[in-house]
Amino acid sequence: MTNKENWLESAARRAERETWTIGWNLSHLAELEGISSHEFAAELKCDTATVQWLSICKCPGAERFAEDVEQIASRFSLDVKRLAGLIRRANAVTALADSGHTTSAGMFLAARDREDEDKS
Amino acid sequence: MQFPNSEAEITLHQRILAGDPVAPADLFAHFVEPLMSALRHDLRCDSENARDSSIDALFDYLRSPTAYNPNRGRLCTFLTQIAKHKVVDRIRSRSAEVRREQEFSSFVEVRESAPNEKMERSVEAGKLWGKIEQVVENEQDRLALALILDGERSTEALAEALGIEATTALERQRAVKRHRDRLMKILERLGEKLRDE
């Protein structure tokens, strides 16, 4: 493991404790769906290092969501729609968790299935 | 790898203040490695501490970027100061943890080596220990002897068994040596007596 990969992985893990990061929301989604950064990477069609970089980015705010997602997607050469879908799903899970609502993995997996159907 | 120049720093700081979603990633890309190098060089800390402290410092800044005032100095200086504090905090925290572990292990060592736990494992050893008990009446001496017979060489463990409360390490060491020599003489005399019998 190179030095950069070493600190990047640590930084991404540390980002999961910061509420303003994408990593915070992705960690909630990962926990709920029982998946890892490898699955996120597969979904975004990128490598795990890109998911780690993504984790330390600021989560797009509701008021300029599209603009922020485009900027992030452009920076890391990601598909805008895939990224927007993932961030929306992660934000929804986190919002429900924050509001004290119980969330079920099935509900969000079903939501993702619908999202996938919409894409195809 | 070096810190970005002051112009690049100011631009990055402004992007962070403006809520640029990618700016935090750029901050990490440009600052983690120079920060780690500075910490290893200035504080001679290990790589893990340098890495974790650098990362913590950047997250501290990102959580409240307005705490940095560009009129007061460079961003790299500000971040290095935070990171250095983090290193010191980590070293203090680790030292306290090691101290707690040592205290616990000395306690466990003393308990595990208690005479009736180790010496009575065989009938012969039990008989021999009985002879020792006849000539050594003091409970602390018995405990220390059991430790010595069990191969214990730690000054700390013997000092604790003997109830030595010296103010300095040297005094403690001398006191333990004095007691150890005394106990070894008792054992020698007992050995001679048993040989004669």
Side-chain angles (χ1 to χ4, degrees):
Chain A
M1 183 179 275
T2 65
N3 198 32
K4 179 164 278 186
E5 285 168 337
N6 190 12
W7 71 249
L8 181 58
E9 189 185 342
S10 298
R13 259 203 318 273
R14 176 70 178 70
E16 292 174 3
R17 284 154 46 194
E18 301 290 333
T19 55
W20 53 268
T21 63
I22 291 180
W24 166 263
N25 291 355
L26 285 183
S27 71
H28 279 90
L29 186 62
E31 192 182 358
L32 183 81
E33 294 188 355
I35 56 175
S36 69
S37 57
H38 294 286
E39 276 89 351
F40 289 139
E43 188 175 338
L44 294 173
K45 297 192 182 300
C46 65
D47 56 18
T48 49
T50 304
V51 176
Q52 288 165 347
W53 280 113
L54 202 58
S55 293
I56 53 179
C57 285
K58 184 177 174 292
C59 199
E63 64 281 0
R64 55 178 198 190
F65 186 84
E67 188 189 334
D68 282 355
V69 170
E70 267 181 37
Q71 192 180 346
I72 298 168
S74 161
R75 170 62 191 274
F76 298 109
S77 307
L78 297 170
D79 180 90
V80 179
K81 282 185 182 172
R82 284 179 190 276
L83 180 62
L86 179 66
I87 292 176
R88 277 208 184 93
R89 216 163 77 241
N91 288 359
V93 168
T94 307
L96 280 171
D98 287 350
S99 67
H101 285 80
T102 52
T103 51
S104 74
M107 182 172 83
F108 282 96
L109 287 171
R112 186 163 65 168
D113 289 345
R114 276 200 303 277
E115 216 168 69
D116 291 343
E117 282 166 18
D118 290 346
K119 278 179 201 161
S120 58
Chain B
M1 193 178 176
Q2 292 185 331
F3 287 114
N5 62 36
S6 61
E7 267 182 44
E9 278 186 353
I10 290 169
T11 306
L12 190 52
H13 177 61
Q14 285 167 346
R15 284 175 57 204
I16 287 162
L17 288 176
D20 180 332
V22 183
D26 288 338
L27 180 82
F28 274 85
H30 291 105
F31 282 84
V32 173
E33 286 177 21
L35 271 176
M36 285 169 64
S37 299
L39 297 180
R40 280 198 300 261
H41 178 267
D42 295 353
L43 302 179
R44 306 263 169 223
C45 63
D46 62 62
S47 300
E48 192 184 332
N49 193 344
R51 179 197 67 203
D52 292 345
S53 298
S54 300
I55 290 170
D56 278 352
L58 294 181
F59 276 117
D60 269 18
Y61 160 66
L62 288 167
R63 211 178 300 120
S64 48
T66 50
Y68 167 64
N69 180 351
N71 297 323
R72 288 191 181 171
R74 293 274 309 265
L75 179 60
C76 61
T77 310
F78 177 77
L79 293 172
T80 306
Q81 284 304 317
I82 301 175
K84 283 183 177 177
H85 283 299
K86 300 278 179 193
V87 168
V88 174
D89 286 348
R90 276 199 163 78
I91 291 171
R92 277 189 188 142
S93 165
R94 273 186 209 166
S95 302
E97 198 178 325
V98 167
R99 204 164 45 244
R100 279 196 298 275
E101 278 173 10
Q102 280 173 343
E103 283 167 5
F104 177 73
S105 63
S106 328
F107 174 75
V108 169
E109 279 165 17
V110 170
R111 296 309 307 154
E112 281 183 344
S113 304
N116 56 356
E117 289 170 23
K118 296 245 167 167
M119 294 298 292
E120 290 177 12
R121 280 182 186 164
S122 72
V123 175
E124 285 304 312
K127 279 181 185 169
L128 180 62
W129 185 250
K131 301 273 184 193
I132 290 172
E133 280 183 329
Q134 283 172 10
V135 290
V136 181
E137 292 180 354
N138 184 294
E139 192 60 39
Q140 288 180 328
D141 283 351
R142 285 180 186 176
L143 186 55
L145 262 177
L147 286 171
I148 292 167
L149 291 170
D150 206 37
E152 178 60 69
R153 291 182 173 275
S154 154
T155 301
E156 294 302 320
L158 291 175
E160 197 173 332
L162 290 161
I164 294 168
E165 290 177 1
T167 48
T168 67
L170 185 64
E171 278 179 25
R172 188 162 52 246
Q173 204 174 353
R174 281 179 180 159
V176 166
K177 187 183 180 310
R178 204 166 50 245
H179 282 282
R180 192 204 299 262
D181 290 347
R182 179 177 58 81
L183 293 170
M184 291 309 288
K185 277 199 177 118
I186 293 174
L187 278 185
E188 268 178 42
R189 281 199 295 272
L190 180 64
E192 283 167 11
K193 191 180 163 191
L194 290 174
R195 222 177 10 251
D196 293 343
E197 283 175 3

